[in-house]
Amino acid sequence: MPDASRQPRSPFAVPLAVIVGVLLAAGLIAIYLVEPAETVTADLGRLYADGAGEILGGSLFVLLWVAGAIALTVVAVRALGRSPGPARAVAIIAGLLGFVALGAFVAAFPLGFTFYFIAEDGGYAPLAGSRGTTIGVFAGAGVALLVVAGCAALVALARRRAATA
């Protein structure tokens, strides 16, 4: 028997969860495959064989990023279920996706040092560090989405104040 006190489910729930899942998968691929191949060495087998323990230890930020994204998705879906206005919905969705995208950059940063130090110890690191464009795209998209979320939140706040005045 359905619980009548339960809030309605947002029509955005499933698409939002799918988008977050795709972003997380793309971020994990970028962090563990694309970024080290682009910035450290194309021989990922050697890199992972030389430093599996260090990479596992350096993955704490990645784990926190994934857990935070899942938790925020649950919160966002519940907030969207309270029949928000369009500006509030945009703020919630863009904020969540911005967090996930920018979080990939933040999670990848310390792990990138780990990859470089492993390659340096093995003698096959590039002479100077480099920045990966893939993770840079995640960072740029994340910042842009957070700006959109902030603007939408301001619009929602202004509409709410105008309605109560």
Side-chain angles (χ1 to χ4, degrees):
M1 180 171 214
D3 184 6
S5 67
R6 197 169 168 203
Q7 66 186 21
R9 186 173 185 192
S10 167
F12 297 116
V14 173
L16 187 59
V18 169
I19 291 169
V20 169
V22 168
L23 254 176
L24 284 173
L28 290 171
I29 289 168
I31 290 169
Y32 287 104
L33 299 176
V34 176
E35 188 71 13
E38 186 178 43
T39 60
V40 179
T41 180
D43 189 0
L44 294 180
R46 181 176 179 190
L47 183 67
Y48 278 93
D50 288 350
E54 291 92 343
I55 293 168
L56 187 61
S59 295
L60 174 65
F61 287 104
V62 176
L63 180 64
L64 290 173
W65 167 62
V66 171
I70 291 169
L72 281 177
T73 301
V74 170
V75 170
V77 166
R78 287 185 180 168
L80 287 169
R82 293 189 212 127
S83 64
R88 183 170 173 224
V90 168
I92 292 168
I93 292 169
L96 172 66
L97 297 179
F99 167 80
V100 175
L102 189 57
F105 172 77
V106 173
F109 193 74
L111 196 57
F113 281 117
T114 303
F115 287 131
Y116 186 80
F117 292 141
I118 292 167
E120 189 176 53
D121 288 344
Y124 53 93
L127 295 177
S130 60
R131 290 184 307 237
T133 54
T134 306
I135 292 298
V137 169
F138 273 88
V143 168
L145 284 165
L146 289 175
V147 167
V148 168
C151 292
L154 289 174
V155 168
L157 182 63
R159 285 183 179 172
R160 182 175 174 195
R161 285 191 181 189
T164 58

